[in-house]
Amino acid sequence: AQSVTQLDSQVPVFEEAPVELRCNYSSSVSVYLFWYVQYPNQGLQLLLKYLSGSTLVKGINGFEAEFNKSQTSFHLRKPSVHISDTAEYFCAVSDRGSSNTGKLIFGQGTTLQVKP
Amino acid sequence: DGGITQSPKYLFRKEGQNVTLSCEQNLNHDAMYWYRQDPGQGLRLIYYSQIVNDFQKGDIAEGYSVSREKKESFPLTVTSAQKNPTAFYLCASRGGVADTQYFGPGTRLTVL
């Protein structure tokens, strides 16, 4: 069975500071990894995804994430945040095996609060 | 524009009533999903469908039902058997590279 743990439920940060949102996963099979962002009362928007190859993945809005297989982590980073980055962020995994149903397993979410 | 639409955006229901949430996609995706979101609990899978006329239960299917008569549509019915239906409901479809899931804007259901 797969599981995802987002290590921080809330991350407060000042505007223009760097930020890291942490995500660890557990799986017995190879996985795809995703980060989604959710603004209040809206659906989820894909930020970035790791499929294979380079372990550093760049996404939209200046975000990037690094896949670390040995530590089973997929932390999200941004070098300088803006007020508009205030939102909830979800890490998710899906099974990339032949019996893949495409089911996503989500973490509990991390609320990023950017302060002026 | 291609995408996923959900309606209504807000829905109020009296206890004991069934309600149906609409989800439509024009992305030509085969697979569709319904999730429930509660504060602090992330998203939990209710039902999913990988092809027309076929669907499977997710982790929290009790009190819900679905149908998949058309590729574009995957409606969710919240029945009176669902004990705590007040939540934010999200629909998604899957396709493209790595079978990425794309989400609709959500429906907020409140039971009065």
Side-chain angles (χ1 to χ4, degrees):
Chain A
Q2 298 160 341
S3 66
V4 178
T5 302
Q6 291 183 240
L7 297 162
D8 306 292
S9 59
Q10 294 188 348
V11 174
V13 63
F14 287 105
E15 194 173 18
E16 297 183 5
V19 70
E20 178 180 79
L21 306 185
R22 297 180 294 167
C23 173
N24 286 96
Y25 70 94
S26 173
S27 177
S28 59
V29 299
S30 295
V31 296
Y32 295 131
L33 294 156
F34 304 84
W35 274 100
Y36 286 88
V37 61
Q38 184 181 35
Y39 300 101
N41 292 311
Q42 294 187 26
L44 274 65
Q45 180 183 6
L46 181 68
L47 272 179
L48 49 79
K49 58 191 174 189
Y50 172 76
L51 311 178
S52 64
S54 173
T55 57
L56 183 63
V57 180
K58 294 191 182 296
I60 62 171
N61 301 340
F63 284 93
E64 63 182 30
E66 185 155 20
F67 169 57
N68 188 318
K69 188 175 182 179
S70 62
Q71 297 186 5
T72 59
S73 68
F74 190 53
H75 301 333
L76 181 70
R77 302 186 182 103
K78 187 169 182 177
S80 175
V81 295
H82 303 290
I83 295 288
S84 59
D85 292 323
T86 295
E88 188 149 20
Y89 292 80
F90 291 96
C91 181
V93 301
S94 72
D95 177 3
R96 64 192 297 174
S98 58
S99 60
N100 179 24
T101 61
K103 292 168 62 176
L104 279 175
I105 307 300
F106 284 89
Q108 306 287 62
T110 297
T111 300
L112 176 62
Q113 301 165 322
V114 182
K115 304 176 181 180
Chain B
D1 285 349
I4 303 171
T5 57
Q6 292 186 241
S7 61
K9 187 171 177 62
Y10 298 97
L11 185 57
F12 298 91
R13 187 195 94 172
K14 294 182 179 179
E15 284 192 17
Q17 287 182 335
N18 293 355
V19 290
T20 297
L21 283 58
S22 170
C23 177
E24 304 276 334
Q25 56 101 358
N26 61 4
L27 300 169
N28 199 34
H29 290 167
D30 286 317
M32 297 185 73
Y33 304 80
W34 274 106
Y35 294 90
R36 171 181 171 138
Q37 185 178 22
D38 296 283
Q41 294 193 41
L43 279 73
R44 294 180 289 169
L45 183 64
I46 304 173
Y47 268 97
Y48 64 103
S49 167
Q50 293 183 271
I51 199 167
V52 174
N53 292 323
D54 188 43
F55 48 83
Q56 289 77 40
K57 293 181 179 180
D59 301 318
I60 56 166
E62 184 176 353
Y64 300 97
S65 66
V66 293
S67 63
R68 186 83 187 279
E69 297 176 1
K70 298 187 301 181
K71 187 175 186 178
E72 300 80 16
S73 179
F74 191 40
L76 173 74
T77 296
V78 184
T79 74
S80 57
Q82 169 49 234
K83 296 190 186 329
N84 185 20
T86 294
F88 192 51
Y89 291 87
L90 288 159
C91 177
S93 69
R94 176 171 65 99
V97 178
D99 293 327
T100 302
Q101 285 193 30
Y102 298 91
F103 285 79
T107 292
R108 186 166 298 280
L109 173 63
T110 303
V111 173
L112 303 174

